[in-house]
Amino acid sequence: MTDVAVLGMGRMGAAIASHLLASGSTVTVWNRTGSKTDDLVAQGAVRADTALDAIASSPIVITVLVGYDTVAALLPQDSLVGRAVVNFSTGAPEEAVRLAGVVEKLGGEYLDGVILNYPNQIGTPEGSIQYSGSESAWDRHGELLAGMSGDTQYWGSEPGWACVMDHIGLAFSTPLLVAAMEAAAYAASHGIPAKDTIAGFALGFPTIAQMLESLAASVGDSDYSARLAALDVYHAGIQGVHTAMTAAGVDALAVGAAARQLGSAMEDFGTDADLAAVYGRLRGPMASAEISETDRP
């Protein structure tokens, strides 16, 4: 028996196995192409000939494979009693819930994990990993898992929540970055160096943080009356920006989408409402029945 088994020796899986070995854990490794485990074996890992052998070798099984169905197909058909499966596949929350059901039916425990960093950041302060799923599995193995990243979050017993948090991060950051590229293209159309424009965006982060705090308060109170500024101010500003960018030949899709969302919120909540009214419009009657911090496991 070893302390941990890691299935999948792509860059991320290999980085996890290497970190665990360096941290003093005994590790079993498996990969469909066995030669990909050679470097880990040289570091002291035990190579398993089959996925089932790897799963049987350890009380905690970390899977770093493409797709939830791939993981499900590798699980034993008889029993996972006494084992926790920690899965880092990318997919939808519903897939995490289904795989958790498969693992639990076999008597095992399931944790879903989302890695928000590059392989070379595993085990460093810059690493960030989020988990959700079995509370008892987290109680037993959380210390080992927390050592894999400087920022570790356990969101509770619902298996799909880690995946949701990953989607939330992408939904926030990707449109923001796309809008930054649109703004840089607009700056360049007026002769302003795009490099300087992009670097300067970071200066606005404190203001964005203040705005997010205000929006969180509005959403938490289900109070969409204006706090920092009214919807018509936001809408007039971004609509004017979109018009100017379009005139400059910039296909500002992200900026245009923001203008449309603000316009729709004004139709539903009025011009004097807060920017948080966008959330109120999207959630409708459900907006006042959210899970609060104190309700979360």
Side-chain angles (χ1 to χ4, degrees):
M1 291 286 288
T2 58
D3 298 327
V4 191
V6 182
L7 281 66
M9 290 296 110
R11 291 184 178 181
M12 190 64 75
I16 289 172
S18 181
H19 162 74
L20 291 170
L21 286 166
S23 299
S25 296
T26 55
V27 181
T28 297
V29 293
W30 174 84
N31 195 77
R32 289 187 189 278
T33 304
S35 60
K36 286 193 173 183
T37 65
D38 289 348
D39 288 345
L40 278 305
V41 171
Q43 295 176 43
V46 177
R47 177 167 30 222
D49 292 330
T50 68
L52 291 178
D53 288 342
I55 293 169
S57 73
S58 307
I60 177 170
V61 179
I62 296 175
T63 55
V64 195
L65 301 164
V66 178
Y68 285 82
D69 290 343
T70 300
V71 177
L74 293 176
L75 296 177
Q77 299 301 306
D78 50 358
S79 175
L80 279 171
V81 173
R83 286 174 175 77
V85 175
V86 182
N87 179 45
F88 289 114
S89 296
T90 300
E94 295 77 14
E95 293 179 282
V97 172
R98 284 197 298 271
L99 183 56
V102 172
V103 171
E104 290 164 4
K105 189 174 182 179
L106 291 168
E109 297 173 314
Y110 181 82
L111 286 167
D112 204 67
V114 174
I115 300 173
L116 305 176
N117 53 257
Y118 295 107
N120 64 357
Q121 293 174 313
I122 291 293
T124 72
E126 293 75 28
S128 178
I129 305 179
Q130 310 203 31
Y131 300 90
S132 63
S134 168
E135 290 187 46
S136 58
W138 181 254
D139 289 341
R140 282 200 306 278
H141 304 297
E143 183 176 354
L144 180 143
L145 296 172
M148 289 165 42
S149 58
D151 174 39
T152 303
Q153 298 286 336
Y154 172 67
W155 288 99
S157 60
E158 174 56 48
W161 277 5
C163 185
V164 171
M165 295 309 298
D166 180 39
H167 291 177
I168 289 170
L170 289 172
F172 173 74
S173 62
T174 304
L176 181 68
L177 294 172
V178 170
M181 297 304 99
E182 293 178 357
Y186 176 61
S189 74
H190 286 274
I192 301 172
K195 180 180 179 181
D196 296 340
T197 301
I198 295 168
F201 288 141
L203 298 176
F205 287 170
T207 300
I208 292 174
Q210 179 187 6
M211 295 173 69
L212 289 172
E213 289 180 5
S214 175
L215 290 170
S218 295
V219 168
D221 296 339
S222 296
D223 177 8
Y224 303 126
S225 57
R227 297 190 182 214
L228 297 178
L231 269 179
D232 59 349
V233 174
Y234 286 111
H235 183 261
I238 200 66
Q239 189 63 58
V241 169
H242 185 254
T243 299
M245 294 174 80
T246 301
V250 177
D251 187 15
L253 297 178
V255 173
R260 289 192 296 276
Q261 284 283 18
L262 292 170
S264 296
M266 281 199 304
E267 291 178 4
D268 289 355
F269 287 86
T271 58
D272 291 333
D274 190 78
L275 182 62
V278 172
Y279 170 84
R281 185 188 77 82
L282 294 170
R283 288 290 287 166
M286 293 181 287
S288 60
E290 300 301 313
I291 298 176
S292 70
E293 180 73 21
T294 55
D295 293 329
R296 200 176 67 192

